[in-house]
Amino acid sequence: MDDYFGDSLFYWAFCSHRTMAVPLVIYTVVACFLLQFQLDSASRIDKPNVLFIVIDDLRPSLDCYGGPIISPNIDQLAAQSAIFTNAMVQQSLCAPSRTSFLTGRRPDTTRVYNFDSYWRVSGGNYTTLPQHFKENGYFTASFGKVFHPGVPSGGDDDYRYSWSIPAYHPSTEQYIKAKVCPNLDGTLHNNIMCPVDVEEMPEHTLPDLQAFERAAEILRNLSLSARGRSGSDESIDAGFRESMKPPFFLGVGYRKPHVPWKYPKAYQALYPLESVEIASNPNIPEKMPSVAWDDFHSLRLRDDLKALNLSFPFGTIPLDFHGPMRQNYYASATYTDYQVGRLLQVLEASGFASNTIILFVGDHGWQLGEHGEWCKFSNFELATRVPLMVHVPGVTDTNWLSAQKFTLKDPLKAPNRVLIDHKTGKLSWKKLRYDKVTWKKSNGLPVGLPYRTPESEGNDVLEPKGNQHGVSVDALVELVDIFPSLSELAGLTVPPICPPNSFDVDFCAEGVSFAPLILDDYIADRWRTNDSRGLRKIKRWKNATFSQYPRPSVHPGKLTDVPHLANITIMGYSMRTIEYHYTEWIGFSNTTFEGDWNDVKARELYVNELDPEQNNNVADVEKYKDIVKMLSGRLQRGWRDCLPVISGV
């Protein structure tokens, strides 16, 4: 009982610190005291659920990251989450990246660099993130593209180990490369840019619509189960329905904005071509080594690009094509935003919003004409940096028990407005982004403005609606950190740091938990089963991130973007620090999986503050000679040399 009252006072202090309305102090004290009683009587017993949302090919160009993608639903989540501004992948390709963050191991340990290998065969029998939750009593399920399907996940999305029921893949995925994209003349093609009438598509739907519908149905069944009622979905085997109950770990993977950019054509109108800006650096950098060049060969095979007759491998897409390409990428991303909003709405309607940790992440970035490049397939920061946000109820928000936490926002219904350029007298179109999240400082924390109403049009300063807080985290993190982080947030055993040569170690991670960056120590403990506060002090956080990309040769060819293992002879190892982005392309053995640091093919050095677009490679500039030597040594020592230093754990 003493512990209960001590905890209650601590929680009262936490609540009152965040209460801005002084006349409501008494109400707040009582409410917080009752809330603490609820936490002690329920939340310390019940494990938090986890909703894991992964988006394919999404670069951090959402509104909450500065735009220009219209993303009201994700912005609303961001306003109630820890939003990471410097999150990096371990390899900018779907299968290696997903394998990496779902196992907590880096590509040289999973030995997955393309689509030809399954880590349990090529690397070791590593425990996965969903497997860890499953083994701790969670119902786990996968919808859409979470693991990369096919060989990289054993042919069944690692079902035998990771999921409680077979992974769900939409039936319309089979039409990804089908000729269903209409040209102006009405003929159908296999295009990159593919705005469509959904009713005219095979099965009258799209993969991400199907993935949402299936995930929503499972959430509704879980809600019924939580209330002691049987699920209604007869398509699920009765044996599986028995296991379908909270706590749950649901992985939902949306395919857009992965190519082809096939999406409901109404979203295209959100981005009139005259409003779409192309990259400020659309030319191949003069000092970029040829081994760093991504020739986007897989895109060149699409009908709309094939018609351009680009010279290979250095032929770039004409500038007048950049606007339409960006328009379609943005539109497909906004379409995905709406699917995320629908999912969050169902989560809340099912009664789980106040007890579910939500992690939202892109599997890698995407280049939209910068450096003359398209796709990912590189070590440039546009390919390796991703959006990452983590929502922890009661920690990253303050209205976590409110009646409506995630209000569905339809980007297509946002009002338009016409602006007058007073210098020219011309009219210009502009979308009123009434949902855009901007950030202000309040008590040292960023405050999200979750949405702008039509009535607020014309106001220069908008006040927050509700009492929502987001936390912007600028510290360097890697997606390999996700496994230990979610484990800690949910109160499960955190995988220890892997020893060197950990191929025979099933349970460990090559990342670290970033939970200390976002958690209030007391709130963190509400998920723990013991009374330990686990107070920690961060003396130094991780001071570098590490990515890599394989190449078959120094000069680009048709296998450059995704080389088969037998053709990999070079590995580009890249390190991002606060000040620099440094890469060495070195000889690599595809049989021993080791690089030869004495066989350097090329170097790249970009000074972040002076050259944030990474246009000027200064690795051979005399004044940076000592910097290159220092960074080369750190890169060779690797990620273990850059781990955080934390006391008190």
Side-chain angles (χ1 to χ4, degrees):
M1 182 64 73
D2 291 340
D3 289 341
Y4 167 75
F5 281 107
D7 288 352
S8 298
L9 289 173
F10 192 98
Y11 194 75
W12 168 82
F14 171 80
C15 289
S16 59
H17 173 70
R18 288 160 171 77
T19 302
M20 304 300 295
V22 177
L24 298 179
V25 170
I26 296 178
Y27 169 82
T28 302
V29 171
V30 174
C32 287
F33 190 89
L34 292 175
L35 180 58
Q36 174 58 36
F37 179 80
Q38 291 175 331
L39 291 177
D40 279 341
S41 61
S43 295
R44 285 185 183 270
I45 298 174
D46 298 333
K47 298 176 181 178
N49 305 304
V50 176
L51 178 60
F52 188 90
I53 305 173
V54 56
I55 313 295
D56 213 340
D57 284 14
L58 183 63
R59 60 191 260 162
S61 294
L62 303 163
D63 258 344
C64 52
Y65 279 89
I69 295 172
I70 299 170
S71 51
N73 294 286
I74 299 172
D75 295 343
Q76 183 177 224
L77 175 63
Q80 304 177 71
S81 302
I83 177 169
F84 291 84
T85 61
N86 286 304
M88 308 293 173
V89 304
Q90 275 47 75
Q91 186 181 327
S92 55
L93 181 64
C94 305
S97 178
R98 292 165 185 260
T99 297
S100 178
F101 64 70
L102 288 168
T103 63
R105 316 284 181 117
R106 298 171 190 267
D108 282 344
T109 304
T110 65
R111 294 178 173 177
V112 175
Y113 306 107
N114 47 39
F115 306 127
D116 302 334
S117 303
Y118 177 35
W119 76 90
R120 294 191 190 275
V121 176
S122 61
N125 194 34
Y126 310 141
T127 300
T128 70
L129 172 62
Q131 179 183 355
H132 185 39
F133 278 78
K134 180 183 176 183
E135 292 174 350
N136 279 274
Y138 278 69
F139 168 77
T140 62
S142 171
F143 311 93
K145 188 177 177 181
V146 181
F147 281 105
H148 195 287
V151 173
S153 55
D156 63 356
D157 292 70
D158 203 49
Y159 159 55
R160 291 168 294 168
Y161 299 92
S162 294
W163 309 111
S164 303
I165 60 176
Y168 171 78
H169 284 283
S171 59
T172 53
E173 286 184 353
Q174 63 183 302
Y175 307 112
I176 288 175
K177 295 184 179 180
K179 293 188 175 184
V180 298
C181 308
N183 276 6
L184 293 177
D185 60 3
T187 58
L188 298 179
H189 297 268
N190 175 21
N191 291 342
I192 293 174
M193 296 176 283
C194 191
V196 299
D197 183 336
V198 175
E199 286 300 316
E200 295 180 359
M201 290 297 99
E203 303 183 38
H204 312 294
T205 187
L206 295 173
D208 286 346
L209 297 177
Q210 290 184 291
F212 157 73
E213 289 161 1
R214 190 60 170 170
E217 184 62 30
I218 295 296
L219 276 169
R220 296 185 187 105
N221 277 268
L222 286 165
S223 181
L224 291 172
S225 174
R227 288 177 284 169
R229 299 166 60 185
S230 60
S232 59
D233 192 341
E234 297 300 326
S235 66
I236 300 174
D237 184 89
F240 292 137
R241 288 203 298 272
E242 289 296 319
S243 67
M244 195 177 299
K245 54 188 174 182
F248 59 76
F249 180 107
L250 301 186
V252 180
Y254 291 116
R255 281 189 172 268
K256 297 304 107 177
H258 191 287
V259 294
W261 297 316
K262 187 193 306 178
Y263 60 91
K265 61 185 178 183
Y267 288 90
Q268 189 178 41
L270 294 173
Y271 302 94
L273 277 177
E274 63 269 23
S275 71
V276 177
E277 296 182 0
I278 69 171
S280 61
N281 56 339
N283 300 315
I284 301 175
E286 181 180 348
K287 296 182 179 180
M288 182 184 73
S290 61
V291 70
W293 170 249
D294 161 33
D295 55 44
F296 52 94
H297 178 256
S298 57
L299 261 66
R300 295 171 187 260
L301 301 178
R302 299 280 178 172
D303 290 348
D304 44 359
L305 280 193
K306 189 186 299 183
L308 297 177
N309 293 317
L310 303 177
S311 62
F312 186 85
F314 293 107
T316 59
I317 294 176
L319 293 183
D320 58 3
F321 225 63
H322 285 212
M325 295 271 283
R326 286 189 165 220
Q327 176 195 49
N328 281 267
Y329 178 90
Y330 297 159
S332 61
T334 299
Y335 157 63
T336 299
D337 171 83
Y338 188 57
Q339 306 317 310
V340 172
R342 296 174 73 198
L343 181 65
L344 296 177
Q345 183 187 48
V346 173
L347 179 77
E348 185 162 63
S350 302
F352 296 122
S354 63
N355 192 38
T356 299
I357 297 168
I358 304 168
L359 188 142
F360 175 96
V361 68
D363 64 345
H364 45 69
W366 225 84
Q367 294 163 217
L368 288 168
E370 296 89 357
H371 307 131
E373 295 188 323
W374 300 82
C375 278
K376 48 258 187 173
F377 315 136
S378 80
N379 282 321
F380 281 117
E381 192 160 311
L382 283 167
T384 60
R385 180 171 171 258
V386 293
L388 171 65
M389 57 192 73
V390 183
H391 171 79
V392 185
V395 178
T396 59
D397 63 354
T398 57
N399 68 338
W400 60 299
L401 292 179
S402 67
Q404 232 177 356
K405 187 173 187 176
F406 300 116
T407 304
L408 179 62
K409 301 180 182 301
D410 187 349
L412 297 178
K413 294 181 179 179
N416 298 339
R417 62 178 175 180
V418 176
L419 302 180
I420 298 178
D421 187 326
H422 295 289
K423 292 183 178 180
T424 64
K426 294 182 179 180
L427 299 179
S428 63
W429 181 98
K430 186 174 183 180
K431 191 73 182 177
L432 174 59
R433 297 187 183 180
Y434 65 97
D435 302 279
K436 182 174 181 179
V437 172
T438 56
W439 302 101
K440 290 183 176 181
K441 289 288 185 177
S442 175
N443 297 325
L445 293 176
V447 178
L449 306 185
Y451 48 93
R452 171 183 287 183
T453 63
E455 291 76 19
S456 66
E457 181 178 352
N459 293 345
D460 292 328
V461 180
L462 301 174
E463 295 302 321
K465 185 176 180 67
N467 188 24
Q468 298 171 317
H469 291 70
V471 180
S472 180
V473 182
D474 295 331
L476 295 172
V477 298
E478 302 171 275
L479 296 202
V480 77
D481 300 331
I482 287 176
F483 190 163
S485 301
L486 278 181
S487 298
E488 179 172 358
L489 290 170
L492 305 186
T493 301
V494 178
I497 296 292
C498 291
N501 300 317
S502 60
F503 301 104
D504 295 328
V505 181
D506 295 349
F507 184 67
C508 67
E510 295 180 334
V512 295
S513 171
F514 50 64
L517 296 174
I518 61 175
L519 282 182
D520 179 287
D521 290 314
Y522 173 75
I523 301 300
D525 281 341
R526 74 187 187 89
W527 303 126
R528 296 178 184 171
T529 57
N530 56 52
D531 292 327
S532 171
R533 284 283 181 265
L535 297 175
R536 292 160 296 194
K537 181 178 180 181
I538 300 173
K539 294 184 177 180
R540 188 202 74 189
W541 191 248
K542 180 181 296 188
N543 57 18
T545 62
F546 294 82
S547 305
Q548 60 188 97
Y549 207 89
R551 291 282 193 246
S553 61
V554 169
H555 299 289
K558 293 184 178 180
L559 296 176
T560 293
D561 49 4
V562 187
H564 296 293
L565 178 60
N567 296 321
I568 297 174
T569 63
I570 298 171
M571 188 67 69
Y573 288 101
S574 189
M575 180 175 67
R576 167 60 153 86
T577 70
I578 295 298
E579 297 174 301
Y580 304 104
H581 192 125
Y582 179 71
T583 302
E584 283 190 15
W585 298 91
I586 64 174
F588 184 82
S589 170
N590 53 42
T591 56
T592 65
F593 302 92
E594 294 179 347
D596 183 356
W597 294 101
N598 294 316
D599 181 19
V600 179
K601 311 293 185 181
R603 292 184 172 91
E604 294 176 82
L605 173 62
Y606 302 101
V607 183
N608 297 332
E609 185 176 0
L610 300 178
D611 184 23
E613 293 184 340
Q614 300 186 329
N615 298 324
N616 186 25
N617 176 18
V618 296
D620 293 331
V621 176
E622 181 65 26
K623 67 178 290 188
Y624 293 103
K625 180 179 179 180
D626 291 340
I627 296 294
V628 167
K629 183 178 180 180
M630 179 270 292
L631 291 173
S632 179
R634 287 184 61 185
L635 182 62
Q636 292 182 45
R637 292 194 296 274
W639 60 271
R640 296 178 189 277
D641 190 53
C642 299
L643 292 174
V645 178
I646 303 175
S647 63
V649 293

